[in-house]
Amino acid sequence: MEKVIVLPGDGIGPEIMDETLRILDWILERDSDLEIETEEYDVGGASIDKFDTPLRSEVLEAALKSSAILLGAVGGPRWDDLPVNHRPEQALLKLRKECGLYANLRPARVYPALVDSSPLKNERASGADLLIVRELTGGLYFSLPRGIEGAGENRRGYNTLSYSREEVKRITEVAVDAARQRSGRLTSVDKANVLESSKLWREVVVDTVPSDIELNHMYVDNAAMQLVLEPRQFDVIVTGNMFGDILSDIASQISGSIGLLASASLGDSKLGMYEPVHGSAPDIAGSGNANPLAMILSLAMAFRYSLDAPDWANKIEAAVNRVIETGKRTADLAGEGEDFLSTREIGDAVLDELAE
Ligand code: NAD
Ligand code: IPM
Ligand code: MN
C-alpha cells in the first residue's frame, strides 16, 4: 500500500485540494491496481492555529514514510507578523529540506486555446514551452549564518548565499536528464558577474553538462527580461533557489495564470512533494473562484514521478487540455467581461473529461 500525504494548508489551499481529491478518489475507485491510501493533516497557518506550530513532528514523520505529498498552499495575512521561523511557510521549507527534495520541476507552457490569456502578445507567447529546474534545499533560503539582531538604528537582518559543488552538481544532473527528454537545450541562470556562489555554480555546471546538451549561461536579470521578450528561446532552465522562485512566477504569465503552474519537488528516493507554484491567494480565498488546475496538474506529476502511474498522469493532463480547449475558464483566465466557472465547476469539467 502506498501512502499519499494530503496537506491542504491555508487560503485557497483547501479549495483546490478538494477538487484534486475528487479526481484522485475517482481514479482510485476505477483502477484496482492502484493501492494508494491518503492521510490528511493540517499544515501552515491551520496547524499554527490548532497546535501552535506550522509542522508537527508526526506530520513530518508521516511524510517521510510516504510515497508522495500533495500540498495546497500555506500562509496568509493572519500569520504575517510572526517571526520568520514560526511562519506557516516554514512547514513547506522544512518538508522540502527534511525530505531531501532538492530538485523542483516547474513546467510552464502556452496552451494554444489560452494564448489570449497571456499578457504577452500572441506572437511572443505562442508555442512557448519551458521547464524551470529550481534548486530547492540550499542557497539563500538555507545557508548559514542568518538572523536578525540588534535594536534601533543598529538593527540588522542578514542571510547567506552559499552553494557547494555537490549541491550544484546534483541539480545540474537533474536538469540534464530533463533536457535529454525534451529538446536537449539547457540554460543555466546565475549572477556570476557579481556573486562568488554563482561563479562556483557556473564552474560546476560547465564541468557537469555533457557535450550532447546545448548549454548556455545567462545572468538572472537578463533571464527575467528574456522570459517576457522571447520565451521560446528557452527549453530547460536550471537555477538556484531564490532565482528559481522569482523566475517561475514570471514564467507563469507566459501561460496566462499562475493558477495553471504545477510543480514536483524530488530528491534521490521515490518520495516527492507536489504543489502548485502559487500561494494561498488570500485575496480570493473563500470566493469559490480559485483556479484548481495547478493543483490538479500537480497530482498528475505525482502519478508520473512517485506513484508509478504515468498513464494516469497523461490522462489527467489530457483532460485538463480538453477542458481548456473547450473554452472553460476560471476567473483568472477569463478576459474582461467574459463568463467564467467556479473552482467546483472546473473540477466537475475535469472529471467529465476524464470519464470520456
Ligand atoms: P499568491 O500566489 O498566493 O497570489 C498572487 C496572485 O495570484 C493573487 O492575486 C492571487 O489571487 C493569484 N492567484 C494565485 N493562485 C491562484 C489560483 N489558483 N487561481 C486564481 N488566482 C490565483 O502569492 P502572494 O499573494 O504573494 O502570497 C500569499 C501567501 O501565500 C503568502 O503568505 C505567501 O507566503 C504564501 N505562498 C505560499 C506558497 C505555497 O504554499 N507553495 C507559494 C507562494 C506564496
Ligand atoms: C514557492 C513559494 C515558497 C518559496 C514560499 C512560500 C516559502 O513562494 O513555492 O514558490 O519561496 O519557495
Ligand atoms: Mn514562489
Side-chain angles (χ1 to χ4, degrees), residues 24-68:
L24 178 58
D25 288 343
W26 187 93
I27 291 171
L28 294 180
E29 271 165 31
R30 274 154 194 83
D31 187 343
S32 54
D33 292 341
L34 286 176
E35 297 200 340
I36 293 174
E37 57 182 28
T38 59
E39 258 173 34
E40 192 169 319
Y41 297 94
D42 288 311
V43 283
S47 175
I48 292 175
D49 289 351
K50 284 193 200 160
F51 309 108
D52 202 31
T53 171
L55 183 72
R56 281 176 298 154
S57 54
E58 61 199 90
V59 181
L60 177 59
E61 271 156 37
L64 282 164
K65 280 190 241 146
S66 72
S67 302

Side-chain angles (χ1 to χ4, degrees), residues 24-187:
L24 178 58
D25 288 343
W26 187 93
I27 291 171
L28 294 180
E29 271 165 31
R30 274 154 194 83
D31 187 343
S32 54
D33 292 341
L34 286 176
E35 297 200 340
I36 293 174
E37 57 182 28
T38 59
E39 258 173 34
E40 192 169 319
Y41 297 94
D42 288 311
V43 283
S47 175
I48 292 175
D49 289 351
K50 284 193 200 160
F51 309 108
D52 202 31
T53 171
L55 183 72
R56 281 176 298 154
S57 54
E58 61 199 90
V59 181
L60 177 59
E61 271 156 37
L64 282 164
K65 280 190 241 146
S66 72
S67 302
I69 306 160
L70 297 178
L71 189 137
V74 295
R78 268 164 68 86
W79 306 282
D80 274 350
D81 294 331
L82 293 171
V84 169
N85 58 355
H86 288 109
R87 288 175 60 107
E89 290 83 351
Q90 286 301 313
L92 256 187
L93 298 171
K94 203 161 177 191
L95 280 163
R96 291 170 179 174
K97 187 73 172 179
E98 298 292 323
C99 298
L101 307 175
Y102 60 84
N104 184 211
L105 309 185
R106 298 188 154 187
R109 67 186 184 90
V110 177
Y111 291 83
L114 285 185
V115 73
D116 288 323
S117 300
S118 172
L120 298 187
K121 291 198 177 82
N122 283 4
E123 62 268 29
R124 291 200 195 281
S126 174
D129 182 350
L130 57 95
L131 172 70
I132 296 178
V133 178
R134 171 190 179 195
E135 199 290 323
L136 203 59
T137 55
L140 196 51
Y141 279 50
F142 290 98
S143 309
L144 299 174
R146 62 185 293 164
I148 183 158
E149 61 193 25
E153 287 307 308
N154 292 323
R155 195 154 159 78
R156 147 187 121 93
Y158 55 95
N159 294 86
T160 301
L161 171 45
S162 106
Y163 270 117
S164 68
R165 270 197 81 86
E166 183 49 34
E167 284 175 302
V168 181
K169 185 164 179 277
R170 66 185 184 178
I171 191 70
T172 305
E173 285 167 352
V174 171
V176 165
D177 281 349
R180 279 218 179 94
Q181 285 164 40
R182 295 170 56 105
S183 77
R185 288 182 297 120
L186 176 62
T187 303

Side-chain angles (χ1 to χ4, degrees), residues 272-325:
M273 181 152 78
Y274 300 88
E275 53 172 315
V277 169
H278 64 72
S280 57
D283 54 335
I284 60 162
S287 70
N289 288 329
N291 187 343
L293 292 177
M295 185 75 240
I296 291 170
L297 291 168
S298 299
L299 173 66
M301 294 182 92
F303 275 117
R304 178 168 297 121
Y305 294 111
S306 287
L307 300 172
D308 300 321
D311 287 354
W312 281 115
N314 295 335
K315 281 181 192 157
I316 294 171
E317 286 165 358
V320 167
N321 252 315
R322 286 193 300 273
V323 166
I324 289 170
E325 269 167 28

